[in-house]
Amino acid sequence: MKNNNLEKPPYWSTELWNLDTEDQNNNGLQNEDLIVWMRTAAFPSFRKLYRRVNHVNTFADGLPVGNYSFEIDYRYPVTAFEGRKYVIISSVSWIGGRNPFLGIAYMTVGCVCLLLAAIFFFIHVKWGKKPSDMMNVTSASHW
């Protein structure tokens, strides 16, 4: 970052090319954690996925029973703007995560479409033209 006249963000303690000491191919702008962290959130209250458990072999039936611990570094202070950080361990279902907004929006739009389809069908049956009427349309017809 020094050579390209770029400035590190405040509180950035690690060089961009040393983000992953175990996998050299996961450094720089290719680093998955950096990509997730830099992604812009749509709402003021948001969640960002840090890790996902790969459900194969040992984890096929979920995490084994036991005590787990996390080591969390406080590298970006959020108290200046009254922000908060949480660690949330959750699971997802076949329809996604915990946020119900998209499901509710789809159901609402679907119900409105069904209601409008029923209304238009009723109008068509009650006042619509018959196919035989439409075949006999001439320039002298009143419609």
Side-chain angles (χ1 to χ4, degrees):
M1 289 187 159
K2 298 173 196 166
N3 298 339
N4 295 333
N5 294 326
L6 299 174
E7 187 71 28
K8 285 195 310 188
Y11 310 108
W12 192 302
S13 61
T14 308
E15 295 296 337
L16 188 61
W17 53 86
N18 288 331
L19 293 174
D20 191 346
T21 57
E22 296 176 12
D23 183 8
Q24 291 302 318
N25 293 326
N26 191 29
N27 275 317
L29 299 176
Q30 305 298 325
N31 185 277
E32 294 173 18
D33 296 333
L34 177 68
I35 292 169
V36 171
W37 182 64
M38 295 297 287
R39 190 175 300 138
T40 305
F43 301 107
S45 178
F46 58 89
R47 294 180 180 185
K48 291 191 177 186
L49 178 67
Y50 181 68
R51 289 288 183 263
R52 183 183 163 144
V53 175
N54 192 4
H55 291 279
V56 293
N57 299 333
T58 307
F59 303 114
D61 297 322
L63 290 174
V65 176
N67 293 324
Y68 296 92
S69 61
F70 296 99
E71 181 180 327
I72 300 172
D73 295 329
Y74 187 68
R75 294 187 180 172
Y76 189 80
V78 295
T79 54
F81 54 87
E82 298 178 9
R84 287 172 272 171
K85 295 181 181 184
Y86 298 97
V87 174
I88 299 171
I89 301 173
S90 68
S91 60
V92 295
S93 65
W94 64 275
I95 57 172
R98 191 193 78 142
N99 189 354
F101 172 75
L102 211 52
I104 293 170
Y106 285 154
M107 293 299 290
T108 303
V109 169
C111 290
V112 168
C113 288
L114 283 174
L115 179 68
L116 287 173
I119 290 171
F120 288 141
F121 180 72
F122 175 75
I123 291 171
H124 173 71
V125 168
K126 183 82 171 158
W127 294 290
K129 304 283 186 229
K130 295 181 181 140
S132 61
D133 293 341
M134 299 304 286
M135 285 187 226
N136 298 327
V137 174
T138 63
S139 60
S141 299
H142 66 277
W143 61 81

